Amino acid sequence: MAKQPMLKFVQIDRDMPAKRDATVRREDFDEIYAEYAAAKAEEQASRCSQCGVPYCQSHCPLHNNIPDWLRLTATGRLEEAYATSQATNTFPEICGRICPQDRLCEGNCVIEQSGHGTVTIGSVEKYITDTAWEKGWVLPNAPTQERSESVGIIGAGPGGLAAADMLRKAGVQVTVYDRYDRAGGLLMYGIPGFKLEKDVVQRRNDLLADGGVTFELNCDVDAAKFAEIREKHNAVIIATGVYKSRDLTMPGSGLAGIEKAIDFLTASNRKSFGDAVEDFDNGRLNAEGKKVVVIGGGDTAMDCVRTSIRQGATSVKCLYRRDRANMPGSQRETQNAEEEGVIFEWLSAPKGFTGDDNVTGVMVQKMRLGQPDASGRQAPEVIEGADYVEEADLVIKALGFEPEDLPTLFGQPELPVTRWGTVKAAFQTGETEMDGVYAVGDIVRGASLVVWAIRDGRDCAEAILKKLDAASAIAAE
């Protein structure tokens, strides 16, 4: 009888890839987790229970065939594992690095519920595709037949690039327009290198270009440009993401030294490319030698606190108005931040800022959690008389993002938007009420996860291909 390669979770414990020591990793922007060796990847993949109802797969927005590629990895069939992984996910090595697996696939792993520790799905996913790159298995799109139709995609983030990949595979002519000088969106400029090294993103950009995708970078889409794009292409996908930062309106909020998270992170990432960044070099967006306070509790806040540590801040504190259990960000990221020296001030909210011209402190009011609301979430309440001032030379607002006013920006008042400013688009297809115009990712959902943007981009590409095929069939009659 052949030896059973799976269900080893009883004999083998969960074992993440080695994590660099905090005192070392806080000195650079390299990724903090090492790569699995082949034997370790096979061992950890073999812990999968191959359950009849794979909750890991159903709780993945892309519905990745996780049990299948875990089994293939465990049995040494790595090229097949890569093909299976790539079949449902445009960027598996990126998702393996930055997806909050603890809230998605791994958080719903059946063996985790039985106390054996979840399968390390994200780390195996990263290993599979990184190995595929090393072995030369990752190849540019080579459509069997070119098509005459073209699609313009506004925004080179994960949603737009996922759609570009799918459309190009089918032979459609694709042009991606983006305001930045490098494609990737927040993958390139918003997420620090210690979570996602930039060569990982750039090689995907290069692969798309090698496969025939055209990029128009440094391209600000205004009313005239939007009209030009609509005229030029059979369909247009809006994949701009949401970049407008939520703000604070309270005493002292206009003081120098109070900055937006996106500006701070973009400046840091640009420096990592070797770009000239005046606001970093003059100290405005540089945490070196400063007491830093970050306001917020999501993944962007974690990126800011951990970046500040690496830039040489003298102290880094994070204010969040709820407790640790109610934090929206990844618990794994919070733990990494604590290891690196970040101090979390739970149940703390700003009520103003001190200083004359430059900020010198944050006026903090202590909170407690009140009774649960209809959704079951406890609202924070102020504890009277417990205010204090937290000293700060640099305050970073990581309060989330909102959509820009696209109807005005694009000169398209008929572009349908919700009361939150997001684009109204059909579920699954991304189709809007404007003929030939689609929208995907955060500009539809609001600020969300990279994996959801990838899902939206792929679904939208599939819908566009069906429309193009139907139009071709009618024309051929």
Side-chain angles (χ1 to χ4, degrees), residues 371-384:
Q371 293 299 312
D373 59 18
S375 69
R377 197 172 194 204
Q378 293 173 277
E381 301 172 348
V382 175
I383 299 175
E384 297 297 337

Side-chain angles (χ1 to χ4, degrees), residues 123-161:
S123 298
V124 174
E125 181 179 40
K126 171 187 168 185
Y127 166 78
I128 291 168
T129 313
D130 281 356
T131 303
W133 280 99
E134 292 170 11
K135 300 287 188 182
W137 302 335
V138 186
L139 301 172
N141 286 323
T144 54
Q145 185 175 353
E146 294 288 348
R147 302 180 62 141
S148 60
E149 302 101 327
S150 71
V151 174
I153 301 174
I154 304 172
L161 295 183

Side-chain angles (χ1 to χ4, degrees), residues 9 14 44 47-51 53-59 66 70 101-121:
F9 60 89
R14 170 186 166 90
Q44 288 298 301
R47 298 182 67 248
C48 175
S49 65
Q50 298 285 289
C51 35
V53 180
Y55 291 104
C56 59
Q57 182 171 348
S58 62
H59 283 83
I66 296 168
L70 285 172
Q101 288 96 4
D102 53 347
R103 303 205 311 259
L104 299 172
C105 54
E106 294 181 14
N108 292 279
C109 177
V110 167
I111 65 172
E112 167 77 5
Q113 314 307 317
S114 60
H116 289 283
T118 178
V119 177
T120 54
I121 295 167

